[in-house]
């Protein structure tokens, strides 16, 4: 919505071509390893939380195996429907949370074409020959618009070309293999050798007036609720539905719980960090 244009332009300028930077070598795993190095022994994976209770002595968290542990606070870095399920399991959700969280809309609710992606290397199956070489060399996405009989009159097939814009993900195979993730193209890949599938369900909130309203007037009231123990971050919490805002929202709530911002020497990153904190009601 236009009401957010000025705020979003502070992060990704609309009036000029922005400059972005990324890690040029190594794997994404290195980034997380370095970020979590000071507390690596405390990091758990494959351990889903399914319920929380705010008790006098702390926050009790229940995992999917039925184990319960007590913590000083919790950060919900999950989609709004997941937060609703976790809060509702032990009756922890407030009346406002019960009313709002189920109403936060996601793009896959109205258009399931981005719900499931197929990871593969069969570029010939999804990219037309006349532009295949160019797309694989320097393209980010290849989108095919195909007329169909649906209510929109068109069907989209979206292929992410990871091997061109994230070569570090290839490791020792860099330059020798196409790395693609194709959405809504399962029929084209029926006879292809696929690696796995991924889901984007509940990853991208819809950029609607209602969701923007929630980001400005609902989510800030949830930060530090339950006597400073509950915080929320991620794509639903910020109005721009962007990777950078989602990441920085995590930095913001971590900072509220006592963590230092990890890039204090970077003035531009520090400015964005301050903007997000103000937007989330955390400054």
């Amino acid at each position: 919505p236009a009401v957010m244009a000025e705020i979003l332009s502070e992060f990704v300028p609309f009036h000029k071509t922005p400059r972005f930077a990324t890690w040029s070598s190594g794997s994404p795993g290195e980034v997380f390893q370095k970020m979590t190095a000071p507390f690596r022994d405390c990091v758990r994976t494959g351990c889903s939380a399914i319920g929380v209770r705010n008790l006098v002595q702390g926050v009790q968290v229940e995992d999917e195996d039925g184990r319960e542990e007590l913590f000083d606070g919790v950060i919900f870095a999950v989609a709004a429907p997941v937060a609703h399920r976790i809060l509702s399991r032990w009756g922890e959700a407030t009346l406002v949370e019960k009313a709002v969280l189920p109403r936060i809309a996601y793009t896959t609710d109205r258009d399931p074409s981005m719900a499931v992606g197929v990871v593969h290397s069969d570029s010939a199956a999804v990219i037309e020959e006349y532009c295949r070489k160019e797309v694989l060399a320097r393209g980010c996405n290849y989108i095919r618009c195909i007329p169909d009989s649906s209510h929109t009159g068109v069907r989209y097939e979206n292929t992410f070309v990871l091997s061109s814009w994230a070569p570090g993900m290839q490791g020792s195979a860099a330059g020798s293999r196409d790395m693609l993730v194709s959405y809504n193209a399962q029929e084209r890949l029926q006879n292809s050798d696929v690696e796995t599938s991924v889901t984007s369900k509940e990853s991208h909130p819809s950029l609607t007036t209602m969701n923007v309203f929630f980001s400005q007037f609902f989510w800030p009231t949830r930060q530090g609720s339950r006597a400073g123990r509950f915080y929320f971050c991620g794509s639903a919490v910020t109005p721009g539905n962007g990777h950078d805002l989602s990441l920085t929202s995590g930095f913001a709530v971590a900072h509220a719980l006592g963590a230092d911002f990890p890039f204090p020497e970077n003035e531009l990153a520090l400015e964005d960090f301050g903007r997000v904190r103000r937007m989330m009601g955390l400054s």
Side-chain angles (χ1 to χ4, degrees), residues 148-162:
D148 71 0
S149 58
S150 67
H151 71 283
T152 61
V154 66
R155 179 171 65 88
Y156 297 97
E157 296 178 1
N158 190 347
T159 294
F160 290 77
V161 189
L162 299 186

Side-chain angles (χ1 to χ4, degrees), residues 259-281:
D260 294 327
F261 180 60
F263 309 109
E265 72 287 348
N266 188 314
E267 292 184 7
L268 294 177
L270 198 58
E271 287 180 10
D272 279 354
F273 176 61
R275 292 189 186 107
V276 170
R277 288 184 64 215
R278 291 191 295 274
M279 187 166 56
M280 296 175 63

Side-chain angles (χ1 to χ4, degrees), residues 16-264:
K16 63 180 180 180
T17 302
R19 294 181 61 186
F20 297 99
T22 186
W23 287 274
S24 59
S25 62
S27 68
E30 289 185 38
V31 178
F32 295 106
Q33 289 169 10
K34 291 178 180 178
M35 290 179 66
T36 59
F39 49 88
R40 186 171 300 164
D41 293 341
C42 300
V43 175
R44 305 180 193 178
T45 58
C47 180
S48 299
I50 62 172
V52 296
R53 282 186 283 198
N54 186 33
L55 306 175
V56 174
Q57 61 271 38
V59 181
Q60 188 175 56
V61 178
E62 179 191 8
D63 68 21
E64 59 187 348
D65 295 321
R67 294 172 297 194
E68 297 180 355
E69 289 190 58
L70 205 63
F71 295 90
D72 296 328
V74 293
I75 296 174
F76 291 82
V78 295
V82 178
H84 183 237
R85 290 195 294 270
I86 293 174
L87 288 167
S88 299
R89 179 171 174 80
W90 296 110
E92 187 62 43
T94 66
L95 289 175
V96 174
E97 290 164 351
K98 290 177 182 178
V100 172
L101 291 175
R103 288 174 171 78
I104 294 177
Y106 286 81
T107 56
T108 48
D109 295 335
R110 59 177 174 78
D111 181 4
S113 62
M114 291 291 289
V116 178
V118 177
V119 182
H120 66 100
S121 296
D122 191 357
S123 58
V126 293
I127 304 176
E128 294 174 280
E129 185 177 3
Y130 79 92
C131 62
R132 189 179 305 147
K133 184 176 181 180
E134 180 182 6
V135 170
L136 292 174
R138 58 190 186 90
C140 290
N141 291 73
Y142 180 75
I143 301 174
R144 301 180 76 161
C145 304
I146 304 166
D148 71 0
S149 58
S150 67
H151 71 283
T152 61
V154 66
R155 179 171 65 88
Y156 297 97
E157 296 178 1
N158 190 347
T159 294
F160 290 77
V161 189
L162 299 186
S163 47
S164 69
W165 55 270
M169 295 182 66
Q170 291 187 325
S172 60
S176 62
R177 185 180 183 188
D178 300 330
M179 297 182 65
L180 311 170
V181 181
S182 296
Y183 288 84
N184 209 26
Q186 288 88 335
E187 292 183 6
R188 296 186 187 278
L189 296 167
Q190 286 181 350
N191 299 318
S192 302
D193 183 16
V194 302
E195 297 288 337
T196 187
S197 62
V198 295
T199 180
S200 295
K201 181 176 170 55
E202 297 175 353
S203 294
H204 300 285
S206 299
L207 192 56
T208 62
T209 303
M210 185 63 73
N211 279 0
V212 170
F213 177 85
F214 289 153
S215 72
Q216 297 296 288
F217 298 102
F218 167 70
W219 287 114
T221 69
R222 301 299 89 200
Q223 308 297 357
S225 58
R226 283 80 166 183
R229 290 175 172 177
F230 283 29
Y231 290 86
F232 300 80
C233 65
S235 59
V237 176
T238 60
N241 188 11
H243 298 174
D244 50 349
L245 288 175
S246 298
L247 175 64
T248 311
S249 73
F251 291 149
V253 294
H255 183 269
L257 286 169
D260 294 327
F261 180 60
F263 309 109

